[in-house]
Amino acid sequence: MTNREVAIILDRIADILQIKEENSFKIQAYRKAASSIYHLDEDLNTLKQARRIEEIPGVGKAVKAKIEEILEKGSCEYYDRLTAEVPLGVLDMLALPGIGHKTVKIIYEKLGIDNLDDLLKAAEARRIRTLPGMGGKTEYNIKKGMELLRQSGGKVTLGLALPLAEDFRDYLWEAKSVENACIVGSIRRGKSLVSDIDILVASRDYEEIRQKVNNYRGLIEISEHDASCIKGLLTHHIEFEVIIVPPQDYFSCLLWTTGSKTHRNQLFKDSEVPPWPEVNSEIDFYTKRGMEYIAPELRENQGEIEAAGKHQLPQLVGLDDIKGDLHIHSKWSDGAHEIKDMAAAAQALNYSYIAITDHSKSLAISGGLNEEKLGAQKVVIDALNSELSGLQILKGNEVDILKDGRLDFEDDLLKDLDLVIASIHSHFQLDKEKQSDRIMQAAKNQHVDIIAHLTGRLLNRRNGYDLDLDRVLETVAKNHTILEINSHPDRLDIDEEIARRAKDMGIKIAINSDAHHKQDLGLMKYGITTARRGWLSPDDVVNTWEKEKLLNYLGE
DNA sequence: GCCGTTTTCGGCCCGACTGTTTTCAGTCG
């Protein structure tokens, strides 16, 4: 069992307890333990062997026993008992926006519905409105939510698929006969939602690879296999495909399997099908055709082939270019750690600056800071800065954009901060005009430096709010406001398409982790991938800049 | 169920909006 799988079980226990309306603090305890484990930087199995499970924050005697049982047996008696009472299909319904634990409980108890398909049928048959507290709008929410789920077509986020793919690839590479192995397909191109995990393996021993796949701890089943391919299902029910080629064909197959189809169609004529033994590397392939090397993230037939032919591809931003992180939370609001701990984690990444940007007072659930606390936080940061060498902590805030476009703090207070992020956390359903006006008003505020998670989308969960992007981007450009690429793999907001538009309009971008936990600083790589897919260069991204240049820009 | 310069039980625990109601329960960030 991986940490993530254990965390998912603990979260499901919390969900079922919530549906059963048990003590809310008990539910909270399971959620906290799940979150701690999700963010752990050590493997639970290792911790168990070292008898250190109880060191995990939020894990006491009871949860520890359950974790150990799950690690040994893949499940625990308590969880099995709960899922016998409330089937997992009932929990699937919680994914629908506007449908919470109480609603799900009533639907399950009164109508006996325990899966999404039956729920949709009941909503279409207008049976949901017969239940207490539910009406036409609840049915609409169900139908609308199901549409969103269907749109994603069973795809999973890169944040879920990539770690699993990396683990699988590293495992396969351990086989003696493997000379090369690479994650290919949409994961290699860095798409934010992917349908499966594809691994290309160079080996002459098919049988060894098949045995190896068969023994993988994350394997659920092998569905089919032939001389060059093994297909099946991995944990989290993600489909996989292992493609096995002889070593001399590896690089041409790497190109072919990375795709995308449209990139391939544009590049190759019908007659051209791999292998091409003369190809020694991808760079070699493009060079021999008189082109620059095209990075996997660009291979989407969005003008990259033409640009590569003219040697006009941008120099893409990379993780190594990043010098700081401008959107970080601490314990002062809803973060998990003290500022000094986040600073230490940033130093470990060799950053030269970070901005502490806790929430503002309106976001009460997250412990948003009021004027007084913000003042106190500045004193703490000043003290830390006087001790730190090599890293500067910028005094910032993620200030809420209120319903009418005003900000949660007065200008007088904002002007004294090093960095102001403005973002929306409420009133998602305003109409296009009002929503756009609201953001534009924030962008026009001379103290606002960055607009964070512009569209508010949550991948597989919620579409972005209705925005007139043309008008918004125009205002952002005019006011020299920076747009954020939020690196959280559930957000990746703005996406590559908007990022590229923004770049063309001269808008600068900040790639931020929005870290609520030390480990979250590592999410930066997902934002980088999105930036690369948006054709961004280091110069387009303000947090690749030297500190002095950045501070100058913020001060203007 | 966890946690304790509060110390082994009692605290943990927001607030606004939405939808279904006609005074409030459920959802969400």
Side-chain angles (χ1 to χ4, degrees):
Chain A
M1 294 296 276
T2 61
N3 289 7
R4 188 188 279 261
E5 287 170 291
V6 175
I8 287 174
I9 291 182
L10 294 178
D11 244 335
R12 285 185 187 148
I13 290 178
D15 277 331
I16 296 176
L17 292 177
Q18 206 169 341
I19 289 170
K20 284 162 58 72
E21 296 184 274
E22 296 233 2
N23 180 297
S24 65
F25 302 109
K26 183 171 169 180
I27 295 162
Q28 227 172 60
Y30 276 99
R31 293 225 188 274
K32 178 157 195 268
S35 166
S36 282
I37 288 166
Y38 180 80
H39 286 106
L40 222 51
D41 48 5
E42 281 180 277
D43 186 58
L44 270 178
N45 296 288
T46 319
L47 284 180
K48 178 169 171 274
Q49 273 172 3
R51 298 174 184 279
R52 287 175 50 216
I53 297 268
E54 56 264 50
E55 288 176 19
I56 302 167
V59 174
K61 230 172 142 184
V63 175
K64 179 195 165 208
K66 288 175 184 96
I67 292 172
E68 289 182 338
E69 194 183 341
I70 294 167
L71 287 175
E72 273 165 37
K73 301 183 197 158
S75 184
C76 70
E77 202 250 310
Y78 183 58
Y79 177 60
D80 293 342
R81 217 168 57 219
L82 288 174
T83 50
E85 261 179 84
V86 180
L88 291 176
V90 176
L91 304 189
D92 291 343
M93 302 181 201
L94 295 170
L96 304 171
I99 307 299
H101 297 83
K102 295 271 173 79
T103 307
V104 155
K105 176 188 166 78
I106 294 171
I107 291 173
Y108 175 54
E109 285 180 356
K110 302 269 182 194
L111 298 179
I113 290 171
D114 63 1
N115 65 78
L116 282 171
D117 289 335
D118 289 349
L119 180 67
L120 180 61
K121 280 181 205 151
E124 281 168 344
R126 301 182 163 215
R127 286 173 62 215
I128 301 297
R129 65 182 66 192
T130 63
L131 298 171
M134 295 180 212
K137 186 69 199 211
T138 315
E139 286 172 352
Y140 175 80
N141 281 342
I142 290 169
K143 287 187 272 188
K144 202 76 195 154
M146 285 296 286
E147 234 172 74
L148 182 68
L149 284 182
R150 296 245 160 99
Q151 267 172 28
S152 72
K155 287 185 178 160
V156 299
T157 60
L158 190 62
L160 180 62
L162 181 63
L164 189 57
E166 286 172 339
D167 184 72
F168 194 29
R169 175 205 56 199
D170 293 347
Y171 167 82
L172 291 173
W173 211 325
E174 288 166 9
K176 277 198 197 95
S177 68
V178 170
E179 295 184 21
N180 226 329
C182 189
I183 300 164
V184 292
S186 52
I187 299 183
R188 183 161 185 241
R189 300 198 310 279
K191 291 194 78 167
S192 53
L193 287 172
V194 301
S195 52
D196 58 357
I197 289 174
D198 299 325
I199 314 265
L200 179 71
V201 172
S203 163
R204 292 181 204 283
D205 189 347
Y206 167 82
E207 193 46 37
E208 190 198 12
I209 307 300
R210 201 184 63 80
Q211 279 301 331
K212 194 83 183 160
V213 171
N214 211 24
N215 292 329
Y216 181 51
R217 64 175 184 278
L219 179 81
I220 293 178
E221 62 172 24
I222 292 178
S223 57
E224 56 178 288
H225 60 94
D226 59 35
S228 62
C229 185
I230 304 165
K231 289 184 188 178
L233 218 51
L234 297 181
T235 1
H236 306 300
H237 288 264
I238 300 175
E239 288 177 14
F240 77 89
E241 194 169 327
V242 175
I243 306 138
I244 305 144
V245 297
Q248 68 271 20
D249 297 341
Y250 177 75
F251 286 104
S252 48
C253 290
L254 182 60
L255 262 158
W256 190 263
T257 52
T258 296
S260 65
K261 248 181 219 159
T262 53
H263 175 82
R264 235 163 38 194
N265 288 346
Q266 190 70 12
L267 204 53
F268 306 119
K269 295 170 190 72
D270 292 341
S271 55
E272 285 186 291
V273 178
W276 314 290
E278 74 282 5
V279 175
N280 299 317
S281 69
E282 287 188 314
I283 294 177
D284 182 47
F285 171 85
Y286 286 109
T287 311
K288 278 182 179 154
R289 291 177 177 236
M291 282 186 262
E292 277 180 277
Y293 170 69
I294 302 176
E297 295 92 334
L298 297 186
R299 299 180 199 169
E300 299 288 355
N301 193 27
Q302 299 285 328
E304 74 278 9
I305 293 172
E306 199 190 3
K310 294 182 189 163
H311 290 73
Q312 284 176 353
L313 283 176
Q315 180 210 337
L316 294 182
V317 63
L319 195 54
D320 291 344
D321 295 316
I322 295 296
K323 297 198 169 58
D325 195 328
L326 300 176
H327 187 167
I328 291 178
H329 295 272
S330 76
K331 238 179 179 167
W332 286 69
S333 64
D334 58 350
H337 304 287
E338 299 293 354
I339 298 172
K340 67 171 171 38
D341 298 324
M342 296 307 278
Q347 279 181 314
L349 294 170
N350 281 323
Y351 285 170
S352 50
Y353 48 83
I354 55 169
I356 294 296
T357 53
D358 278 308
H359 291 288
S360 62
K361 58 181 190 273
S362 282
L363 208 59
I365 179 74
S366 69
L369 272 54
N370 58 20
E371 288 79 357
E372 197 185 324
K373 280 194 175 159
L374 187 63
Q377 189 183 53
K378 282 162 74 177
V379 176
V380 170
I381 294 178
D382 280 335
L384 274 171
N385 272 332
S386 65
E387 292 167 15
L388 287 168
S389 64
L391 180 83
Q392 182 175 346
I393 307 173
L394 304 181
K395 288 164 281 190
N397 191 257
E398 181 180 11
V399 59
D400 253 59
I401 303 174
L402 305 176
K403 187 178 180 182
D404 60 4
R406 284 180 307 120
L407 297 176
D408 204 12
F409 287 131
E410 297 297 329
D411 283 2
D412 256 6
L413 198 145
L414 296 178
K415 77 173 183 344
D416 291 334
L417 291 169
D418 298 322
L419 181 113
V420 175
I421 294 178
S423 61
I424 282 180
H425 294 101
S426 60
H427 306 282
F428 299 132
Q429 54 295 314
L430 290 181
D431 67 48
K432 195 183 218 173
E433 175 124 22
K434 287 202 182 102
Q435 199 68 278
S436 306
D437 285 346
R438 186 183 177 200
I439 294 183
M440 283 157 58
Q441 195 179 326
K444 282 181 198 162
N445 183 307
Q446 55 171 330
H447 304 302
V448 169
D449 298 299
I450 300 176
I451 302 282
H453 43 76
L454 178 73
T455 78
R457 76 164 179 183
L458 289 175
L459 287 161
N460 271 352
R461 272 186 287 163
R462 183 176 80 201
N463 285 326
Y465 19 81
D466 216 0
L467 281 183
D468 185 341
L469 266 181
D470 290 336
R471 281 174 62 218
V472 170
L473 291 181
E474 210 173 285
T475 305
V476 165
K478 207 167 146 192
N479 289 278
H480 303 288
T481 317
I482 299 162
L483 277 186
E484 177 186 79
I485 291 179
N486 189 294
S487 299
H488 198 289
D490 288 343
R491 289 193 185 267
L492 296 175
D493 182 13
I494 52 178
D495 66 16
E496 55 260 42
E497 209 177 304
I498 303 177
R500 195 168 167 189
R501 270 175 76 183
K503 173 190 170 130
D504 290 343
M505 295 171 75
I507 296 169
K508 295 300 178 194
I509 303 290
I511 308 174
N512 292 331
S513 70
D514 195 0
H516 286 71
H517 197 287
K518 286 191 282 188
Q519 291 304 110
D520 292 345
L521 292 177
L523 298 177
M524 183 68 78
K525 65 177 177 184
Y526 296 102
I528 292 285
T529 301
T530 297
R532 289 169 67 86
R533 288 176 60 80
W535 293 49
L536 300 192
S537 299
D539 189 50
D540 302 316
V541 179
V542 298
N543 53 319
T544 67
W545 297 355
E546 296 293 343
K547 188 173 76 188
E548 290 68 27
K549 182 177 173 186
L550 174 71
L551 291 177
N552 267 333
Y553 189 83
L554 294 175
E556 276 170 12

